[in-house]
Amino acid sequence: MGQRTVSVLGYDGMTAFEAGIVIEVFGLAWPDIDQPWYELKVCTETPEPIRVLGGATLSSPHGLEEFAAADTVVIPSVADPGADTSGELIEALRTAHRRGARIVSICSGAFALAAAGLLDGRRATTHWRYADLLRERYPKIVVDPEPLYTDEGDVLTSAGCAAGLDLALHLVRKDHGAAVANAVARRLVIQPYRSGGQAQYIESPVPPDPDDASVARSLGWALEHLAEPIGVPDLAKQAGLSPRTYLRHFVKATGTTPGKWLIAQRIQAALTMLETGDAPVEEIALAAGFATPVTLRHHFAKQLHTSPSAYRRTFRARRES
């Protein structure tokens, strides 16, 4: 399957949401998912109870030793991005990385990874409010404030805390495949796939007027017609808007362009077909709406850094392991 144990750090003054993302996705047993799930441990730096915003306290029997021993190690955020990370936490992160753990940060948690030197020379993101500070404090990092998350293989970072959900689903998708990730997303009642390259800042994430509701309706139509050629005029027609007006509302509502959105949905459709059937790549490309297999392979490699055939082999090997 991939990484089986997950640890998440709790710290004094934390909000429950960031850690809750990790607990919900990796710690909750999903009765409708018939395969071994993750073993989760919430860990703290000290044995004393930590304070959670709102007046609650949290105690855990797991410390930094258990934190560093997990296959996937998550820093949900830090109390103060401008403060120094403790030497003990830095050493725990380095220990985990040396033994091959997958290191993950959510929001300002990137500052802890940076302090440990794990982001040097790598592309990384954090909440857009902290991007300049991260770049200033750690000039060896290639800070990109745009994406929802970055995946450097063994080190992954995400933007604001809600983007941690996208990254968590990305990890589930890597470990278990698209069908399982979609099942988790349905349980959480969230969008099953937002690519890491999607913009962090969306001016209007919730459609505020009928025009944007029309955009949402056009997206539903597009998902039912992915195999067909779809352009902005087609989408605009479904929304009852002019192409120029539609494009403006689309970007405002989704934070991306119609072309990028369509590619992401078609990649998702191809993933599901690669995982659940034996159709050749040529057939999958056409069924997912790509003009040619070459086009599918190009976008697949750009987003997932592998080929469709290699992805299918890897996914099946994970399922059999």
Side-chain angles (χ1 to χ4, degrees):
M1 170 200 114
Q3 281 79 1
R4 295 184 180 274
T5 57
V6 178
S7 64
V8 59
L9 184 72
Y11 60 88
D12 198 56
M14 67 183 290
T15 70
F17 183 60
E18 290 97 331
I21 289 169
V22 181
I23 294 168
E24 181 81 6
V25 173
F26 300 106
L28 190 63
W30 305 95
D32 55 339
I33 298 177
D34 185 23
Q35 56 183 280
W37 204 237
Y38 304 87
E39 177 188 347
L40 175 74
K41 291 183 178 179
V42 178
C43 306
T44 56
E45 289 194 55
T46 62
E48 292 79 18
I50 60 172
R51 294 166 296 176
V52 179
L53 290 183
T57 59
L58 183 150
S59 298
S60 173
H62 308 301
L64 289 181
E65 184 176 351
E66 292 91 342
F67 177 72
D71 297 312
T72 297
V73 172
V74 185
I75 301 284
S77 57
V78 296
D80 180 3
D84 292 332
T85 302
S86 73
E88 293 79 9
L89 178 55
I90 288 174
E91 184 54 36
L93 287 167
R94 289 174 176 170
T95 297
H97 187 253
R98 282 195 296 268
R99 32 167 300 272
R102 185 166 59 182
I103 313 296
V104 179
S105 70
I106 298 173
C107 195
S108 61
F111 284 84
L113 273 57
L118 304 185
L119 299 181
D120 289 355
R122 296 176 183 262
R123 178 170 168 263
T125 194
T126 186
H127 192 289
W128 56 267
R129 290 182 59 193
Y130 303 134
D132 288 341
L133 178 61
L134 184 64
R135 186 182 295 110
E136 178 184 330
R137 292 190 65 191
Y138 303 99
K140 293 182 180 180
I141 301 172
V142 183
V143 178
D144 187 347
E146 294 297 325
L148 293 173
Y149 57 84
T150 64
D151 183 346
E152 295 284 295
D154 57 341
V155 179
L156 303 92
T157 60
S158 73
C161 52
L165 273 171
D166 297 294
L167 180 52
L169 283 179
H170 174 70
L171 294 173
V172 171
R173 190 178 300 110
K174 290 182 71 169
D175 293 343
H176 294 280
V180 172
N182 290 347
V184 174
R186 284 194 298 272
R187 281 301 193 96
L188 296 172
V189 197
I190 60 174
Q191 187 171 336
Y193 180 71
R194 294 198 298 170
S195 72
Q198 183 169 325
Q200 282 191 39
Y201 180 70
I202 300 174
E203 182 179 346
S204 181
V206 179
D209 58 47
D211 284 345
D212 288 316
S214 298
V215 169
R217 187 170 62 250
S218 74
L219 300 187
W221 173 86
L223 290 175
E224 295 176 355
H225 296 81
L226 282 179
E228 304 170 15
I230 299 174
V232 171
D234 303 304
L235 294 168
K237 181 179 179 180
Q238 295 300 318
L241 301 171
S242 71
R244 177 178 293 184
T245 301
Y246 178 83
L247 185 59
R248 185 173 70 253
H249 282 278
F250 188 98
V251 174
K252 182 180 178 182
T254 68
T256 189
T257 65
K260 290 180 179 179
W261 183 86
L262 280 168
I263 288 171
Q265 306 314 308
R266 284 170 167 153
I267 289 290
Q268 178 63 38
L271 284 173
T272 301
M273 287 184 274
L274 287 166
E275 294 170 6
T276 58
D278 297 310
V281 172
E282 290 74 15
E283 290 183 13
I284 289 175
L286 295 177
F290 291 102
T292 67
V294 173
T295 307
L296 167 60
R297 291 186 179 100
H298 167 76
H299 290 295
F300 206 92
K302 187 174 181 180
Q303 289 204 15
L304 300 175
H305 307 291
T306 188
S307 68
S309 297
Y311 176 86
R312 174 182 270 165
R313 289 193 299 270
T314 302
F315 175 78
R316 292 186 175 179
R318 284 174 178 162
R319 290 295 300 271
E320 294 168 1
S321 63

